[in-house]
Amino acid sequence: QVQLVESGGGLVEVGGSLRLPCAASGSIFSIYTMGWYRQAPGKQRELVATVTSGGSTNYAASVKGRFTISRDNAKNTVYLQMNSLKPEDTAVYYCDADLYSTSAGRRHYWGQGTQVTVSS
């Protein structure tokens, strides 16, 4: 069984920072792209940022310059460093991993989500 476990969410003031780690565990053979998505109340889930196994990154326009995605391949962990937070960043943040496991082959896995609330 493969699991993605996020942490690091919470309540922060406007302009503050948070760091979200997401660790993948289980019968993992290889991890391709990892990413972060978010879903605000009443809205669809949207891409925040992705990072490939080679380190190439992609960001939503709304977070570019404020958020940084990185990964530690040895730890099967992806991080999202969020700076200069705004009220519109308030959402549940989900980790995603495109990976190959010995139990299920290649597929996407999602974490359970972590709440980020930015107060004004």
Side-chain angles (χ1 to χ4, degrees), residues 21-112:
C22 170
S25 63
S27 55
I28 298 169
F29 181 77
S30 184
I31 303 180
Y32 306 103
T33 300
M34 302 185 82
W36 287 94
Y37 292 74
R38 66 186 181 187
Q39 187 166 18
K43 294 187 177 182
Q44 289 189 330
R45 190 173 297 190
E46 63 176 6
L47 168 74
V48 176
T50 61
V51 57
T52 67
S53 57
S56 297
T57 58
N58 179 53
Y59 295 92
S62 59
V63 307
K64 199 171 291 186
R66 300 187 297 122
F67 290 11
T68 301
I69 190 169
S70 61
R71 63 190 281 175
D72 184 334
N73 291 329
K75 295 182 179 180
N76 289 340
T77 299
V78 62
Y79 304 92
L80 185 68
Q81 177 66 44
M82 305 186 293
N83 299 328
S84 303
L85 283 161
K86 304 176 181 180
E88 51 264 42
D89 295 319
T90 295
V92 178
Y93 283 70
Y94 296 92
C95 173
D96 165 76
D98 174 14
L99 61 85
Y100 189 97
S101 72
T102 55
S103 58
R106 183 171 181 173
R107 54 160 284 191
H108 279 264
Y109 289 85
W110 290 94
Q112 80 285 358

